[in-house]
Each structure stands twice: as C-alpha cells, then as structure tokens.
Amino acid sequence: FMRVGTMAYVGAMSKISKDVPPYMIAHGDPIQVRSFNRIGLERRGVDEAGRKAIKEAYRILYRKEGLNAAEALDKIEAEVELTAEIKHLLEFCRASEKGITR
C-alpha cells in the first residue's frame, strides 16, 4: 500500500516501507533514495530548468544534515524554483500518509 511517484525508479528486491517520492532512484533493504532520475527526466523531455530544480530539491531533501522531512519541504518551497515538477514533488510528499523514504 505504498506509493511510488512519477518517474521514480525502484530497484529489484527492494523492501518499500514508505512512499518513494517522484523523480527519485531508490533501492535496497531497507530502501534508501540514492539519487534523482536524471536520465529518465531527460528521456521524458523535462527541460533543463526542471532538471536543475529537481537536483536542488534532491540535495535539500536527502543531503542536508539536520533537516526533518517537513523542514526540508519548506526549504525547497522557499529556495527552489517552483517548476511544475517541484510543485508535484511537494504535493506528493505532503500528501503522504506513511511518510517518504529518507
């Protein structure tokens, strides 16, 4: 009953215990987000501005130490260009009932 976001990539044999946000690559047991799906975004025609915004959102959400998910989402909303992809990412994460994979 977990959700996997748009253009997210989940590796085989991964144990999913929380929602996987859109545009991310996750795998393992326990599952961890390893990167954002740059190649998938390029293939789907996401423009350069959209890819840069997702890259920055990934860094804030997964690479900044000391931020919980809610703080990271607020920081993304304040600091990252609000492209359609970022709006979708924020909506997905905030609507998550089980939490997102960190």
Side-chain angles (χ1 to χ4, degrees), residues 81-99:
E81 180 183 350
L82 292 177
T83 63
E85 293 83 15
I86 295 300
K87 289 177 185 174
H88 176 66
L89 175 70
L90 292 170
E91 289 171 9
F92 181 94
C93 292
R94 288 189 172 135
S96 176
E97 293 178 8
K98 305 285 186 184

Side-chain angles (χ1 to χ4, degrees), residues 58-75:
Y58 165 77
R59 285 184 177 158
I60 293 170
L61 196 55
Y62 293 101
R63 297 294 175 214
K64 296 275 184 179
E65 298 297 323
L67 295 178
N68 65 32
E71 293 168 341
L73 294 173
D74 290 341
K75 187 173 177 114

Side-chain angles (χ1 to χ4, degrees), residues 9-22:
Y9 184 91
V10 177
M13 304 296 291
S14 295
K15 180 181 178 184
I16 301 174
S17 57
K18 293 186 177 184
D19 295 342
V20 179

Side-chain angles (χ1 to χ4, degrees), residues 23-92:
Y23 320 115
M24 302 299 158
I25 295 175
H27 61 87
D29 183 8
I31 195 166
Q32 292 180 331
V33 172
R34 308 292 181 165
S35 183
F36 68 100
N37 191 1
R38 182 181 54 84
I39 294 173
L41 293 167
E42 288 174 4
R43 288 180 180 169
R44 284 296 218 37
V46 175
D47 63 358
E48 181 69 26
R51 292 193 307 267
K52 282 182 70 175
I54 291 168
K55 181 178 182 179
E56 186 59 31
Y58 165 77
R59 285 184 177 158
I60 293 170
L61 196 55
Y62 293 101
R63 297 294 175 214
K64 296 275 184 179
E65 298 297 323
L67 295 178
N68 65 32
E71 293 168 341
L73 294 173
D74 290 341
K75 187 173 177 114
I76 290 168
E77 191 169 32
E79 296 181 8
V80 177
E81 180 183 350
L82 292 177
T83 63
E85 293 83 15
I86 295 300
K87 289 177 185 174
H88 176 66
L89 175 70
L90 292 170
E91 289 171 9
F92 181 94

